[in-house]
Every structure is written in structure tokens, then in C-alpha cells.
Amino acid sequence: METSFGEEILNITDTKIVEPKRYQVVFLNDDYTTKEFVTDVLQVIFHKNLEEAQQLMELVHKTGSAVVGTYTYDIALTRVNLTIKIARENGFPLHCEMQEI
């Protein structure tokens, strides 16, 4: 049995692989969301340890915003939407956004 399978493999391996675009998730400071809530969100949704979550929360508080993670589009969008949903359910106006790198 003769096939041209080998030639197809060569064509596939010549294809250039493009890395997916990356997006930063940025938290923005407000005067109402508690520091404890921001720290909890960073731990639960963004998988930060307590020390890193507290450092990021303080950076948001002091500078007005901070990048809390870099992800592919789908993951960034999911985490932004989940953060906003949980914040609203708890009565906080916490805002975060995605920025393409």
C-alpha cells in the first residue's frame, strides 16, 4: 500500500506557529471596595498567595491601578467577568479590565 502521507507531514511541519496574544488584567482603585475583599479575590480567582495578594492590593490602593496577571484572551476575559460578577454580588464597585500587550 503506497500513500503520500510523508509529503503531508512535511507540509504540516512547515507551517509557522503563532503564539496567542496576551492580555494583562488590571485592577483599578476605588474608594469603596475593601482591601480584604480585593485580597480575597486575588487569592481565589487569580491564585495568588496571601503575601502576593496583599502586595498587589496595596499597589492598587497607592498607585490607582496594578497588573494582577497576564493571560490569553479567554482566560483573561473569564477572570475579569468573574471578578466583576463577584464584586457586584457583594456590593462593591471594584473594576478591572483587560489590556492587550
Side-chain angles (χ1 to χ4, degrees):
M1 182 165 131
E2 193 172 308
T3 66
S4 61
F5 186 70
E7 293 173 20
E8 290 178 30
I9 290 176
L10 287 177
N11 290 336
I12 291 172
T13 58
D14 290 341
T15 303
K16 185 175 182 177
I17 297 174
V18 177
E19 292 291 324
K21 291 181 182 178
R22 307 284 290 175
Y23 294 81
Q24 294 176 327
V25 175
V26 179
F27 273 31
L28 303 172
N29 190 42
D30 65 72
D31 293 331
Y32 302 101
T33 306
T34 64
K35 291 180 176 183
E36 294 80 12
F37 182 79
V38 173
T39 301
D40 289 345
V41 167
L42 289 168
Q43 289 180 281
V44 174
I45 297 175
F46 293 87
H47 308 289
K48 306 297 183 190
N49 62 44
L50 178 59
E51 183 179 339
E52 189 176 7
Q54 289 174 331
Q55 288 173 351
L56 285 168
M57 174 273 300
E58 286 296 336
L59 186 60
V60 171
H61 180 69
K62 291 177 182 174
T63 65
S65 66
V67 174
V68 299
T70 302
Y71 309 96
T72 59
Y73 179 83
D74 291 338
I75 293 171
L77 182 62
T78 299
R79 291 186 185 191
V80 165
N81 288 338
L82 186 56
T83 297
I84 293 170
K85 179 181 183 284
I86 290 172
R88 298 309 174 269
E89 288 173 354
N90 286 276
F92 294 114
L94 176 64
H95 183 71
C96 63
E97 58 187 31
M98 294 170 42
Q99 297 175 352
E100 186 177 337
I101 299 176

